Amino acid sequence: MARARGGSPARRNLLLALTGEPWRLQRSAPGRDFVGGLFGRFRAGYDRAPHDGRAAEIVALLTEERPSLTGQWRCRAVGEPAPCVVETDGGGRRPRTVACALLRPDGTDGTAVLTVSGAAPSPPVPWDG
């Protein structure tokens, strides 16, 4: 898994970043599914190295920092995230609509590229006020 900048290696985890400010992808069904798929891919990787303590450290940190997703962090399923379009809540800034996908350019488990790009925003909801 790629890591965001700053802090200890466990704190630089992509799942922690995508479920925190300003992304909070778990706030929508497509975002929750995408985060769950990313975690499934992470789990598939660390299940091959059960004695590597780094994975357990990351899962413990995810559980501590994002307790609302504890059920997801305890899930034993493995898999791949399906591409999705999700609106972030903006973390105090303007919400953004982004398209997320995990690509495997060489078709193996060893290489993955996460893409997050701007997408067309959802149509505005009419206001009758």
Side-chain angles (χ1 to χ4, degrees), residues 31-105:
R32 263 191 311 281
D33 291 345
F34 189 75
V35 167
L38 280 177
F39 185 72
R41 178 160 172 77
F42 171 74
R43 174 155 318 273
Y46 88 70
D47 277 352
R48 288 189 216 109
H51 302 296
D52 186 343
R54 294 175 295 178
E57 181 183 359
I58 289 169
V59 173
L61 180 64
L62 288 168
T63 301
E64 178 184 321
E65 295 280 328
R66 307 288 185 262
S68 65
L69 297 171
T70 295
Q72 207 156 27
W73 309 142
R74 289 184 179 161
C75 181
R76 298 294 304 163
V78 296
E80 294 280 331
C84 70
V85 174
V86 62
E87 188 169 300
T88 69
D89 74 1
R93 294 179 279 199
R94 187 178 60 122
R96 300 187 108 159
T97 303
V98 295
C100 302
L102 189 69
L103 309 175
R104 293 191 305 155

